[in-house]
Amino acid sequence: MSHISLTRYLIDEQYQARRIQPDLRLLIEVVARACKAISVAIGKGALGNVLGSADAENVQGEVQKKLDVIANEILLEANEWGGHLAALASEELEHPSPIPNRYPKGEYLLLFDPLDGSSNIDVNVSVGTIFSVLRCPEGVTDPDESDFLQPGTRQVAAGYAVYGPSTLLVLTVGDGVAVFTLDREQGSFVLTADRVQIPADTREFAINMSNQRWWQPPVQRYVSELVAGRDGPRGVDFNMRWVASMVADVHRILSRGGIFMYPRDNKDPAKAGRLRLMYEANPMAMIVEQAGGAATDGHQRLLDVQPTGLHQRIAVFLGSRNEVERVTAYHHEPG
Ligand SMILES: O=P(O)(O)OC[C@H]1O[C@](O)(COP(=O)(O)O)[C@@H](O)[C@@H]1O
């Protein structure tokens, strides 16, 4: 694959594929630059005094890590003055963040989880950033929360960065999925895989097994059949993986197939799941579908879910199409 930078890839999407507008291209480049800065901050680790807690809680009632706050500030600062956005929303902020009046405004809404997999930061396991781009409704100059509550099918772009052994940026603008690797010497993202496809079948599943006693019957049945392997109704063995960083688990699935599950469970019946619809499930669902996979909440296509809240949680089943369809079918069976 010849040396194609992110900028070149986006310019081709703008002029050849005629898929994106100039300001969406520039917005994605700004987000990518912010991910580079976050990658540098993470790379410093204990030497940069960025590990550990920030002694503050976010809107979800979770203790924030220092890097949650640092990553959030990097993304807010990088995106507020570029002129591409009408407003932003973050996992770390209760309400949408308006663009200060001193800066020009644009026609897009950006949502992000600045640092996904927070529980893995201090133990040097891959973490990431997840983002989703929507259009600001026509004629709205000061968007509020309701303007963000658009189904995932309305996303014009989605992506994630993985900060692991290498830093990767995975992106879709609705024309397949492209993977870029950060060339640390050049300081630029270079295309290393394009039109990535997830195999329809897999022998690998990802779920936090320690929650098993709380799962509802369809998930109990599906996972027990996987674990039973060749001696069970599936007749073949399945392997399990769980990094506990959604970006890392989803990237493995993008790379070699698999099914990722974070179901609704009875541990906290009030919660519809652990993961957030707007800036975790929806962008990942768009990427997975653009790579030929499937994504549901157990009952319906994730991207068709009508959001009701900026930080709402949802059950997530995504990855290799045939397995996602099977576990979803189990949710539709009577009894
Ligand atoms: O702690 P658990 O139950 O294994 O859950 C891990 C899941 O929670 C998350 O860490 C939630 O994300 P945040 O770290 O952004 O809060 C996902 O990345 C991951 O898939």
Side-chain angles (χ1 to χ4, degrees):
M1 183 175 281
S2 61
H3 187 96
I4 296 177
S5 67
L6 173 66
T7 303
R8 166 75 187 283
Y9 173 88
L10 292 170
I11 285 174
D12 290 349
E13 286 294 326
Q14 179 184 331
Y15 291 103
Q16 287 174 18
R18 299 196 175 288
R19 174 154 296 272
I20 62 173
Q21 299 298 315
D23 49 359
L24 179 56
R25 168 168 65 82
L26 296 170
L27 168 58
I28 293 169
E29 295 210 67
V30 169
V31 172
R33 249 197 321 276
C35 291
K36 264 194 295 189
I38 295 169
S39 173
V40 171
I42 289 172
K44 292 203 177 92
L47 296 175
N49 188 26
V50 296
L51 302 183
S53 294
D55 300 326
E57 277 194 4
N58 66 15
V59 60
Q60 339 265 344
E62 295 158 344
V63 175
Q64 290 178 308
K65 297 280 186 174
K66 286 182 186 169
L67 277 164
D68 284 323
V69 176
I70 292 168
N72 193 49
E73 283 164 3
I74 288 174
L75 280 155
L76 287 175
E77 200 283 324
N79 282 287
E80 70 179 2
W81 51 267
H84 319 297
L85 291 174
L88 314 92
S90 167
E91 177 189 37
E92 302 303 331
L93 299 175
E94 181 163 7
H95 304 294
S97 177
I99 299 297
N101 290 331
R102 66 183 177 280
Y103 297 128
K105 291 185 180 175
E107 60 180 89
Y108 295 105
L109 301 173
L110 177 68
L111 304 101
F112 53 86
D113 175 356
L115 207 79
D116 175 63
S118 309
S119 65
N120 280 325
I121 293 172
D122 296 344
V123 292
N124 203 26
V125 170
S126 297
V127 293
T129 295
I130 309 174
F131 64 93
S132 167
V133 182
L134 297 163
R135 281 187 194 290
C136 183
E138 205 70 39
V140 173
T141 50
D142 290 312
D144 61 19
E145 181 167 333
S146 64
D147 298 305
F148 283 81
L149 303 183
Q150 304 175 36
T153 47
R154 299 266 191 81
Q155 294 175 99
V156 292
Y160 61 81
V162 187
Y163 311 114
S166 57
T167 290
L168 302 179
L169 180 74
V170 175
L171 175 71
T172 185
V173 292
D175 185 21
V177 175
V179 179
F180 302 84
T181 302
L182 180 60
D183 177 334
R184 295 190 194 284
E185 277 78 43
Q186 304 296 326
S188 58
F189 281 106
V190 178
L191 185 67
T192 43
D194 200 4
R195 301 197 178 285
V196 179
Q197 285 294 303
I198 298 173
D201 291 302
T202 180
R203 298 273 180 84
E204 207 162 56
F205 68 101
I207 194 167
N208 182 341
M209 289 293 286
S210 67
N211 292 328
Q212 184 165 27
R213 66 191 183 285
W214 309 103
W215 296 336
Q216 296 170 347
V219 178
Q220 294 283 9
R221 174 188 171 194
Y222 176 72
V223 175
S224 61
E225 290 179 357
L226 299 179
V227 173
R230 72 183 73 167
D231 307 326
R234 301 297 304 272
V236 290
D237 290 342
F238 286 79
N239 195 10
M240 196 208 96
R241 287 281 180 273
W242 185 250
V243 181
S245 286
M246 187 185 195
V247 283
D249 283 310
V250 171
H251 192 68
R252 184 187 59 249
I253 289 169
L254 198 72
S255 310
R256 67 183 191 210
I259 178 170
F260 171 93
M261 299 173 273
Y262 213 116
R264 176 179 199 145
D265 60 36
N266 304 327
K267 184 164 44 178
D268 187 344
K271 280 189 185 162
R274 155 105 193 211
L275 302 172
R276 280 50 62 122
L277 173 63
M278 299 306 291
Y279 41 78
E280 290 176 322
N282 269 343
M284 290 305 201
M286 184 180 182
I287 289 166
V288 164
E289 284 202 7
Q290 283 288 319
T296 76
D297 65 353
H299 298 280
Q300 68 176 102
R301 183 187 178 214
L302 253 169
L303 294 178
D304 290 336
V305 172
Q306 175 53 51
T308 54
L310 196 56
H311 301 289
Q312 79 180 83
R313 298 171 187 265
I314 194 158
V316 176
F317 300 84
L318 59 76
S320 294
R321 172 168 295 284
N322 294 339
E323 288 304 319
V324 173
E325 287 174 357
R326 178 186 283 265
V327 67
T328 304
Y330 286 9
H331 284 77
H332 291 277
E333 288 181 11

